[in-house]
Amino acid sequence: MELIRGLHNLRERHRGCVLSIGNFDGFHRGHQALIARLRQHAARLGVPVAVQIFEPTPREVFAKAKAPALSSAGTARIEGPGRVATFRDKLAQLQAAGVERVLSVRFSTRFAAIDATRYVEDVLVGKLGVKAVVVGDDFRFGAGRGGDLALLQKLGARHGFEAEAVGAVTVGNERVSSTAVREALALPDLARAERLLGRPYALGGRVRRGQQLGRKLGMPTVNVPMRRKPALRMGVYAVQVRCAGREWSGVANLGIRPMLEKKGLEHRDCVLEAHVFGEPGSLYGQHVEVRFMKFLRDEQRFESFEALAAQMQEDGAQARAALKKA
């Protein structure tokens, strides 16, 4: 799969495709149905499957509480709307679904002010040469959200491309959406999230060297910094950890580690710390996937590191028991 970062990197060879536009946060069952329909058009028309996404997302730009990238020094607070998936995880899901090109467009208030008709004619027709556009049934775009399916179909008739919307996907009586997934993760209701996603919820990332606090407390962890605020409720979970075809059970904490702040270390980065049961060897620099199986408790501050260490041992025991029952 080819990742194209920005409209300025589009080239003549990128002309001719079928396209969908959206955030694709979490790549839930609705997204999967949309890409499946897009692939049908691609096979019929003999062109690649392309998707346009936004980075940062419109929600992050327009939310009153911003969601900035976290500083490497650990001084930024994680505020704003949470993401279901990391950028890398999103790309991995799109690739697995058969998407051949991803155009990542930087979203800003200036970009949001572009007239919908102008965007279709300049980008979709002029730069991408789209043959078909498939969107969700609630899709809106352009200045004032003035663009919709009707506009796409009108312009498609003029410029020679097809446009259609894929209807809502439901699971039981619930409409599948990224909003519904975020609501489930905020509780957290992991079973509901799994139904909406079509798979257990997981976060991935590259393992970085931390401050070795877990090792000092008798439970070494693999540390994965979260560049953006995750939608999942912060706390301690029983997990499955996957890396390079191997898998282990474990216990993980997703949070801002308040004990470090108490010691004057001014740390507000969100980090996923997973203690793996077994002997995985060094995972530094490798990409891991952490699958969340059961919520155990909220993240909390303890009176001492000794109390934290005791709780970590208890968390480990609870995670083992929970995973044994699963």
Side-chain angles (χ1 to χ4, degrees):
M1 186 181 75
E2 180 182 8
L3 173 62
I4 307 162
R5 293 184 180 271
L7 297 174
H8 62 284
N9 282 319
L10 286 172
R11 300 291 182 263
E12 181 63 27
R13 64 185 176 82
H14 295 128
R15 286 184 55 80
C17 65
V18 294
L19 179 74
S20 185
I21 304 172
N23 292 315
F24 293 91
D25 191 19
F27 201 68
H28 53 60
R29 290 181 184 271
H31 296 141
Q32 294 160 32
L34 194 157
I35 297 302
R37 180 58 178 157
L38 198 63
R39 290 182 65 186
Q40 292 176 352
H41 282 293
R44 176 174 59 85
L45 296 168
V47 293
V49 178
V51 165
Q52 178 186 315
I53 61 175
F54 302 100
E55 184 67 25
T57 66
R59 292 179 72 251
E60 290 168 340
V61 171
F62 290 124
K64 292 182 180 179
K66 302 296 183 181
L70 298 175
S71 69
S72 59
T75 58
R77 283 183 172 271
I78 49 169
E79 300 173 340
R83 290 194 183 190
V84 176
T86 66
F87 184 74
R88 176 168 177 162
D89 287 346
K90 181 189 299 187
L91 293 181
Q93 292 292 337
L94 288 169
Q95 182 175 22
V99 174
E100 296 163 85
R101 296 174 184 163
V102 173
L103 171 61
S104 178
V105 175
R106 181 170 180 79
F107 193 87
S108 63
T109 54
R110 181 178 179 181
F111 179 85
I114 298 175
D115 177 76
T117 297
R118 176 189 164 195
Y119 192 75
V120 171
E121 294 180 339
D122 289 355
V123 179
L124 273 60
V125 177
K127 293 182 178 294
L128 291 171
V130 295
K131 303 300 182 183
V133 179
V134 181
V135 294
D137 61 355
D138 58 352
F139 177 72
R140 297 290 185 276
F141 71 107
R145 293 172 56 84
D148 57 9
L149 177 63
L151 179 65
L152 285 172
Q153 291 175 330
K154 176 183 175 181
L155 294 174
R158 181 186 305 169
H159 295 287
F161 66 86
E162 306 169 35
E164 70 169 276
V166 172
V169 173
T170 59
V171 175
N173 296 320
E174 183 173 18
R175 176 190 172 106
V176 178
S177 68
S178 294
T179 298
V181 177
R182 289 187 201 97
E183 291 174 351
L185 295 175
L187 290 173
D189 186 339
L190 295 174
R192 178 187 172 198
E194 181 174 351
R195 290 194 299 270
L196 296 169
L197 293 168
R199 63 187 184 279
Y201 181 67
L203 285 171
R206 194 169 301 280
V207 178
R208 304 298 186 191
R209 186 174 297 275
Q211 296 174 321
Q212 309 296 307
L213 179 60
R215 185 175 301 278
K216 294 175 183 177
L217 297 178
M219 293 186 71
T221 59
V222 293
N223 302 319
V224 180
M226 297 286 104
R227 285 179 48 81
R228 301 279 183 176
K229 178 183 178 182
L232 182 64
R233 178 173 172 176
M234 293 187 186
V236 179
Y237 293 81
V239 299
Q240 296 286 349
V241 179
R242 295 182 175 186
C243 178
R246 297 179 295 164
E247 181 175 315
W248 308 271
S249 298
V251 60
N253 182 82
L254 176 69
I256 57 176
R257 299 179 289 180
M259 289 295 287
L260 298 187
E261 183 183 65
K262 181 180 178 181
K263 290 296 183 179
L265 298 180
E266 191 57 33
H267 202 294
R268 282 309 227 179
D269 283 6
C270 182
V271 178
L272 175 58
E273 301 172 294
H275 171 69
V276 175
F277 303 147
E279 297 295 335
S282 176
L283 298 180
Y284 289 128
Q286 298 190 56
H287 188 273
V288 298
E289 178 190 79
V290 179
R291 181 173 291 184
F292 298 85
M293 308 304 294
K294 183 178 176 58
F295 177 72
L296 300 179
R297 64 174 177 85
D298 286 317
E299 186 178 43
Q300 65 188 90
R301 177 180 293 172
F302 293 89
E303 291 302 317
S304 65
F305 281 109
E306 290 74 19
L308 172 59
Q311 183 61 56
M312 290 170 63
Q313 293 296 329
E314 176 61 24
D315 293 338
Q318 290 188 27
R320 289 178 187 275
L323 293 168
K324 187 176 182 180
K325 293 178 182 179

